[in-house]
Each structure stands twice: as C-alpha cells, then as structure tokens.
Amino acid sequence: MSTTPSDPLAALGDLPGVADAVDSVRKAVDRVYGHRVMRRRSNEVTAEAALRGARGSAALSGADWNLEEVRRRTDFSGEDEARIIGAALRLTAEAGQLLSIWRQSPLRVLARLHLVAAGGATPDDTVGRPRLAGEPVDEPLIEAPVPSADEVSGRLEGLSQLIIAGGSAPALVTASVVHGELLALRPFGSRNGLVARTAERIVLIGSGLDPKSICPAEVGHAEQGRAAYVAAFEGYLSGSPEGMAAWIAHCGRSVELGVRESTAVCEALQRGAA
C-alpha cells in the first residue's frame, strides 16, 4: 500500500472510496447521537449496545446465540460456545475501563484483553502475552498463514508506536487497521478475533467518534456475515490499495449497521416512554 513515513495511517484516508466511507460513518453517528432519547437515557442505549456488540463478536467466533438467550443466561462456563459468549461479554465490559491506558501503552491493553478473554480457563502461562515460537494458535475463522513469533513481536511494536504517536488519520481508518492487524498477526494462542474486535471498539470510543459506545461495529460485522468478514479481511492481508480500501469500507459499513441497531433501540425506548 502507498503510505507516507510520517503518518502512514492518515495516508490510507486518501485511498479511493475511504473518504466517502469516513464521511458516511460520521453522518450516521451524528444522527444517532442527535436522537432525543440520547438526552435522557443514553446509559440504557450504551448498555444495550454493549450486549448486542458482544453477541455479534461472539457470533463471528462461532457462538451465534439468540440475543435473548445471551440476555437471559447467567452461567457462561461449560461448553465452548458459552465460554465464547462469556469472553465477549467480559471484553465489552472491560473496553471502557482501558481507554486512558490505550494511548500510552496499547500492548499492555492487548495483554489485559487476552487475560480477560481467557477468563482464567487456561492453566498455563500463555495467557496475557504474545505467543512464543512453536506455540499453537486456535482461531478457526481465519485460515491465513500465521506469522512467526518474531514477526508478531516486530509488527505489534510498530502498531503500538503508531497508536502512541497519534496522527491525523480518521478514527475509522485507525480502528480498521488495528482490527485488521491483530487478525493478521493472531498474537495470542486463542481468542484473537474477540480481542481484535474489542480493540476496534476501544479506538472508536477513545477517538471521540463514539464516546458513549453506542455504535457497536461488532453488530455490523456479524450482520454482514462470516464469509463477507473473511473476504474483506483478505483485502487487508493483500496490502493492496484496493484491498485496504475494501477492508476499511467493510468496517465502516459495520459501524453504520451498529448505528442502525442502536437507533432501533432508541426508537423502542421512546415508544415505551410515550
């Protein structure tokens, strides 16, 4: 991809179609934030968005449960699908607690996210740290070759430096790159997809685009389907301008679908208050 050394993320904003995606997302987010329900009941919308976002992320990781089952269930131990749902719920709850740390130490945040996702279920020392040479990776949705531990270390450090340095890239671009890079690297032995989508959420919140966390991109990723998610991600892996633009547009559409979901929640709350 064509980038500039000074601000490579910002350069992605110049790719064909990316500016339109950024503008479309911004307008959609502004509309839902302007809904009259948000003036008095934004906490309820945030809570519902968190639940629906967690359900969507878990669906992409193989646990496609009905929303009401996720809402009703209290025990997420036992079978693997329940553990995936539990991990997604814990990660969504944790995301808002890590915003102040993210810009100073993103690698520390990623380690914490993996620890939260694992939930203490893994008895060895692989939890909460990038994998070492020879350690396996369990991420069935993504079939691309797994980078070596040395490559993971170098690219994670590069990603961390970009985040700490900041820059002028739109929030959608940064969130898409963080999400895509973590999927590409699969730095942990498990739960990489859940961690990657939570990191995307953190960027969208922390950037100021979605400060109340009411625009769950995970909902949109799940709604577009696993096949579309993988196909768009392959564009990111290609590194081509077209592929990168397609991935960013896919992430943008996911945010817009998350906005649509939360708009429906606002409408339901408004009808209930009428």
Side-chain angles (χ1 to χ4, degrees):
M1 59 185 166
S2 176
T3 61
T4 60
S6 58
D7 198 347
L9 294 182
L12 294 175
D14 296 329
L15 294 176
V18 170
D20 289 341
V22 168
D23 185 57
S24 183
V25 165
R26 177 76 267 175
K27 289 177 179 176
V29 172
D30 286 347
R31 282 196 299 271
V32 71
Y33 269 84
H35 198 286
R36 61 185 298 181
V37 165
M38 288 296 296
R39 287 184 229 129
R40 295 176 292 108
R41 305 180 70 178
S42 64
N43 288 344
E44 293 174 70
V45 182
T46 295
E48 191 65 21
L51 182 71
R52 295 178 185 222
R55 193 218 72 83
S57 189
L60 289 170
S61 286
D64 192 359
W65 286 19
N66 180 278
L67 179 63
E68 293 311 312
E69 174 65 12
V70 177
R71 196 191 305 279
R72 180 192 66 79
R73 189 79 168 255
T74 57
D75 180 11
F76 296 99
S77 61
E79 72 271 26
D80 189 53
E81 286 194 6
R83 291 198 299 272
I84 292 170
I85 296 284
L89 289 168
R90 291 191 301 272
L91 285 169
T92 301
E94 189 78 5
Q97 310 302 315
L98 298 171
L99 297 175
S100 62
I101 305 172
W102 175 256
R103 285 299 297 272
Q104 285 75 42
S105 184
L107 298 185
R108 180 179 162 197
V109 169
L110 293 175
R112 173 62 185 170
L113 291 177
H114 188 245
L115 188 66
V116 169
T122 305
D124 56 39
D125 67 350
T126 64
V127 175
R129 64 156 175 80
R131 54 187 168 82
L132 303 177
E135 291 181 343
V137 176
D138 178 18
E139 196 63 47
L141 180 61
I142 306 301
E143 298 180 352
V146 178
S148 69
D150 285 344
E151 183 178 353
V152 167
S153 178
R155 287 171 62 176
L156 277 180
E157 183 59 35
L159 182 64
S160 175
Q161 290 175 3
L162 283 175
I163 293 165
I164 293 170
S168 59
L172 173 64
V173 172
T174 303
S176 300
V177 169
V178 167
H179 183 172
E181 190 69 355
L182 292 174
L183 274 187
L185 295 178
R186 281 148 289 164
F188 304 108
S190 63
R191 307 294 195 232
N192 289 286
L194 293 174
V195 169
R197 291 184 288 276
T198 305
E200 178 186 45
R201 170 183 283 266
I202 288 172
V203 174
L204 293 173
I205 299 169
S207 67
L209 177 67
D210 181 22
K212 293 183 182 294
S213 191
I214 62 167
C215 307
E218 305 97 322
V219 167
H221 287 304
E223 185 171 334
Q224 294 184 83
R226 298 177 87 191
Y229 183 73
V230 172
F233 171 63
E234 287 173 353
Y236 179 88
L237 278 181
S238 76
S240 70
E242 296 80 10
M244 294 295 293
W247 170 247
I248 294 168
H250 180 89
C251 291
R253 179 59 179 157
S254 295
V255 175
E256 291 185 60
L257 290 171
V259 167
R260 187 177 71 179
E261 189 88 351
S262 287
T263 300
V265 170
C266 288
E267 294 294 332
L269 288 172
Q270 183 170 280
R271 288 195 299 272

